[in-house]
Amino acid sequence: MSIDNPRVIDHISTRENDNCCLVWIADHLEWNNRDHLLALQEKLNNYLSFIESGEIYESWPHAREQAIEITLHSKFRPTTADDLKFLQFARDTIHSAGFKFSVYIENEQFLRF
């Protein structure tokens, strides 16, 4: 599963140290590409719908008692100002919906909002 499958939730887990439900996006695409940003936008919108509709609680009942964080796991580091602007917009949108957002590059935390 990956960003190529916008309607599929890639992975769900719990981060025990702060009782947070992590909803993962696996992103193998390079940045600085409009198609990549559009694919990522579609995937993020579907994740928000999955969470806000309550469907997440059917798949992961423990999430009812947890904070929810969408985590983007990217193979590549964002390369342009537009990439970072997109991530900031995504962060703002996700925060306004009441959730957390983080970005990891090859297992290294890049941004946590």
Side-chain angles (χ1 to χ4, degrees):
M1 291 168 270
S2 74
I3 196 167
D4 294 332
N5 298 308
R7 302 218 180 279
V8 173
I9 301 301
D10 297 337
H11 183 74
I12 301 176
S13 67
T14 296
R15 187 173 54 227
E16 297 293 336
N17 67 338
D18 63 354
N19 198 33
C20 188
C21 176
L22 303 174
V23 189
W24 301 45
I25 295 174
D27 182 1
H28 66 285
L29 300 176
E30 291 193 40
W31 291 85
N32 195 20
N33 177 330
R34 181 167 163 68
D35 290 335
H36 176 223
L37 295 182
L38 292 173
L40 184 52
Q41 180 179 7
E42 183 177 9
K43 187 85 167 184
L44 286 168
N45 287 337
N46 286 330
Y47 271 48
L48 281 173
S49 293
F50 172 76
I51 296 165
E52 292 178 325
S53 71
E55 189 178 346
I56 188 172
Y57 305 121
E58 295 170 23
S59 300
W60 197 260
H62 304 311
R64 289 189 188 280
E65 297 98 35
Q66 299 175 328
I68 296 176
E69 181 175 318
I70 296 174
T71 64
L72 172 63
H73 290 261
S74 180
K75 182 174 182 176
F76 301 101
R77 185 174 292 275
T79 56
T80 69
D82 285 342
D83 297 338
L84 293 175
K85 194 181 296 184
F86 174 84
L87 290 173
Q88 290 169 343
F89 177 78
R91 174 206 56 204
D92 293 345
T93 302
I94 292 165
H95 276 200
S96 70
F99 311 110
K100 299 177 184 180
F101 181 58
S102 59
V103 179
Y104 292 84
I105 312 298
E106 287 286 307
N107 299 318
E108 166 193 340
Q109 184 174 322
F110 179 65
L111 300 169
R112 179 181 265 160
F113 304 107

